[in-house]
Structures are given as C-alpha cells and as structure tokens.
Amino acid sequence: MQRSKKMKIAVITGGDNAEQEISVKSARTIMDHLDNEKYDTFMLNYHFGKFADAVTELPIDLNNFRMEIFDGVVRFDLVMLFLHGTPAEDGKIQAYLDLMDIPYIGCDHFTSALTFDKQACKQYLQGLEVPMAKSVLLHKANPNLDQVKALTADKLFVKPNKNGSSYGISMVESIGDVAAAIYKAFEYDDEVIVEEYLIGREFSNGVYLGPKGIRVMPVTEIIPHKDFFDYEAKYKNESDEVTPADISEVLTLKAQALSRKLYQELQCKGLVRFDYILVGEDFYFLEVNTIPGFSEQSLFPQQIRAAGLKISDVLDEVIEETMSRK
C-alpha cells in the first residue's frame, strides 16, 4: 500500500479536567479547517496519561509518540495542542514532546507553565509597565484569609490560580462572602487568587506568529449578560461580543501594542489570546490564554474572520512557521 506523502498532524484534545468539553469543540474546529489536500489529520484523545486515536481508539506508543495501524506505523510530523487546562496549558505535554523531538504548535513548556500560573505571570510582568489589578494568592493547605485585608476595592474577584474557562470564579461585594467564594475556587485548584475587581469594559485580543512575524488580530469587546465573563457567557451565548470593538483607533492601537509587547516579553509562539479590562484610557492585563478556545463561536476565530482572513490560512501560517524552526 502506497503511503500518503502529506504531513501527518496529531490534534490533541480531551483531558481529565473541567474543560474537556471545550477542548473537544476546539479540536473539532481545527480539524474542520485544516486543509485535507495538504495534511493527514488525526484527533488524539488524552486521558489518564495516555493518548489514543479518537476514531479507532488505537493507542499511541509513549516511547516514541507513534501509532501502530493494521499495515504499518503512523509517525506524526507535527502536533497541535487543543487540550485546555492541564497537562497542556501548563506545559507538561510540551516538555514530553520536546524530549521526543516532535514539533508542536504554540508556546514552549516554560512559557506555558508560567502563564498558566496567573499570579506567577503577573509577578513576572512586574516592572514592564503593564497595568494589573492588585491581588493576593492563597494556598489550600494554609488559606490565610487575613491576606485579603490588603485589598481595598469595594468588590473582589475570586478565581482558581491555575484553571481556565471561568470555572470556580466569583465576584463578591461583601467581605462576608469572600470565604465561601474562596472555598468554591479551591474545588478547582489548590491555589486561589483574590483580586481587586476592576470596573470597566472587557476586551480580548488574539495574536499569532507566522512566517512574516507577529500578527495582531482585531480587538473584541465582551459584554456579558451577567456581571462578568463566566462559563455561560463564554460558551452558552450569554454575552455579546463585538469584533472589531467599538472603540477609537487610538484605543485599538493601544490594546494591540500591549498584546504585541506581552507576546514578545512572554516569548509566546503559535496562537495566543490576551484578556483585558479597560479602565479609563488604560488596558489592565487580566490573563493570557496560550491555548485559546477555538470553537466556531470562540473569540479567536471571530477575530480571524473580522481581519478578513480564513482560519485555514492562519493555520497554514502557524504550521509553516513552526516547521521552519525544525
């Protein structure tokens, strides 16, 4: 049997965390937009430390990241990680792929681990003139709630330090409600951030690295139907998302310049999205998503379309740039 000479791409999804459903939706969008004239694509599910083909359920040999099929072996040329949360957004799979010498789309294990830890990322960015809300970090083993007294805002934002998709997040207006919100967040992580709530408009901005360098997408304004952009707002159409955002050109360029700066300072690669709150004329950095949601309704695909681009062409660009480094 003659083998296809097309590049073989593994799209990793699944996971054992609260974001599994979102991971699968993102991976399906990627599979739908990868050019089947150029690529042979395989969706691989990750569960409990093992990978398997989503269709055939054939396992991946972890010794070499290959898959035995009925007439030979599939050797993957490239990996695309669309598994949200651990062990992809925190860099563990990237470290394994580096050991296997297999190229992958996106940030390396160091940048992934750093940005997945929200408080560590904020500390890393201190001194770079990046506006950020004041916050404290609590540990589940010894949650010293007295630290919260250092925060003076009328409202506080409580969220897991290392989790995504807005699981376990609360906005509290009374100091009496803080403890309950903290223990709710501890259900998703052993570290919790309590942050001063910023009153302003919420924005998001995608960036990717292609053969011609960094490209910054149009900015999106997120208008939640609730108090903030929670899981339902993100994934159950309970928000209005305006792309390009209805702001001045000056503010648009300011947000895009900050996104480019963060992308460079954090040594990002691949597709990355930055989230902000606009307070007055300043964009306050909230967090970075090194594996952003990529369902059809997600923010990054919206921004690609608003830029007049095709998702398939953007994927081609990030694939070409990744392979050029190998």
Side-chain angles (χ1 to χ4, degrees):
M1 178 177 179
Q2 186 175 5
R3 290 287 183 193
S4 168
K5 296 187 183 298
K6 292 186 285 187
M7 180 183 292
K8 291 176 173 55
I9 296 178
V11 180
I12 295 179
T13 186
D16 306 307
N17 55 55
E19 299 175 85
Q20 178 182 357
E21 177 186 355
I22 310 308
S23 298
V24 172
K25 288 182 178 179
S26 294
R28 284 176 177 159
T29 302
I30 294 297
M31 295 284 287
D32 289 343
H33 289 279
L34 284 170
D35 188 344
N36 58 20
E37 295 293 323
K38 299 178 181 178
Y39 315 115
D40 285 330
T41 56
F42 301 79
M43 186 183 290
L44 305 185
N45 282 326
Y46 171 88
H47 290 295
F48 304 111
K50 297 180 179 179
F51 303 94
D53 185 83
V55 177
T56 65
E57 298 186 353
L58 289 170
I60 303 301
D61 186 342
L62 293 178
N63 293 306
N64 51 27
F65 201 72
R66 296 176 183 175
M67 181 171 63
E68 291 190 16
I69 56 177
F70 71 96
D71 63 343
V73 176
V74 176
R75 296 174 174 83
F76 298 105
D77 300 300
L78 178 74
V79 169
M80 302 189 77
L81 286 162
F82 280 90
L83 190 160
H84 304 299
T86 186
E89 280 189 283
D90 59 1
K92 293 173 184 172
I93 293 180
Q94 290 89 329
Y96 161 73
L97 293 171
D98 283 336
L99 288 173
M100 295 293 104
D101 197 28
I102 298 171
Y104 53 86
I105 298 293
C107 299
D108 64 18
H109 63 281
F110 170 76
T111 296
S112 299
L114 172 65
T115 55
F116 192 66
D117 186 320
K118 298 180 180 69
Q119 187 72 355
C121 184
K122 291 177 69 173
Q123 291 171 342
Y124 181 87
L125 293 172
Q126 285 181 354
L128 296 177
E129 299 182 350
V130 177
M132 293 178 283
K134 187 177 179 181
S135 61
V136 297
L137 182 68
L138 304 178
H139 300 273
K140 191 173 186 178
N142 183 26
N144 182 4
L145 302 189
D146 286 342
Q147 294 181 71
V148 178
K149 295 178 182 178
L151 306 178
T152 58
D154 294 334
K155 298 180 182 180
L156 298 175
F157 213 54
V158 182
K159 58 187 177 182
N161 187 39
K162 299 187 289 287
N163 207 315
S165 294
S166 298
Y167 287 101
I169 289 183
S170 302
M171 187 270 285
V172 296
E173 300 185 55
S174 168
I175 195 68
D177 297 328
V178 172
I182 289 169
Y183 287 106
K184 174 185 175 182
F186 275 138
E187 295 177 13
Y188 296 91
D189 189 16
D190 58 3
E191 293 181 339
V192 166
I193 289 183
V194 183
E195 194 170 61
E196 291 189 346
Y197 184 78
L198 297 170
I199 299 175
R201 297 160 68 184
E202 187 162 353
F203 295 86
S204 190
N205 193 203
V207 185
Y208 73 88
L209 180 62
K212 297 180 180 179
I214 296 172
R215 180 152 188 177
V216 184
M217 295 290 93
V219 179
T220 297
E221 180 173 9
I222 302 156
I223 308 171
H225 298 170
K226 298 182 179 181
D227 290 327
F228 59 91
F229 197 42
D230 63 3
Y231 179 89
E232 284 74 20
K234 280 186 178 179
Y235 301 113
K236 297 188 177 181
N237 299 319
E238 294 188 13
S239 68
D240 297 318
E241 294 151 17
V242 181
T243 311
D246 186 14
I247 53 177
S248 69
E249 183 179 1
V250 170
L251 284 176
T252 296
L253 293 174
K254 191 171 187 178
Q256 291 174 325
L258 180 55
S259 298
R260 179 182 291 272
K261 175 180 178 178
L262 290 168
Y263 193 96
Q264 292 172 318
E265 293 290 349
L266 293 168
Q267 302 177 57
C268 295
K269 299 179 183 67
L271 303 150
V272 174
R273 198 191 78 230
F274 299 95
D275 296 337
Y276 306 108
I277 291 287
L278 177 63
V279 181
E281 298 291 303
D282 292 319
F283 287 93
Y284 279 69
F285 169 70
L286 295 180
E287 63 182 47
V288 52
N289 299 270
T290 56
I291 303 180
F294 225 83
S295 65
E296 291 290 351
Q297 69 267 35
S298 293
L299 299 175
F300 211 125
Q302 289 183 37
Q303 294 171 10
I304 290 172
R305 291 190 289 267
L309 304 173
K310 294 181 179 178
I311 293 175
S312 58
D313 292 339
V314 171
L315 296 179
D316 283 346
E317 287 190 51
V318 294
I319 289 170
E320 181 182 344
E321 191 282 326
T322 300
M323 296 307 293
S324 73
R325 287 184 273 115
K326 289 292 180 179

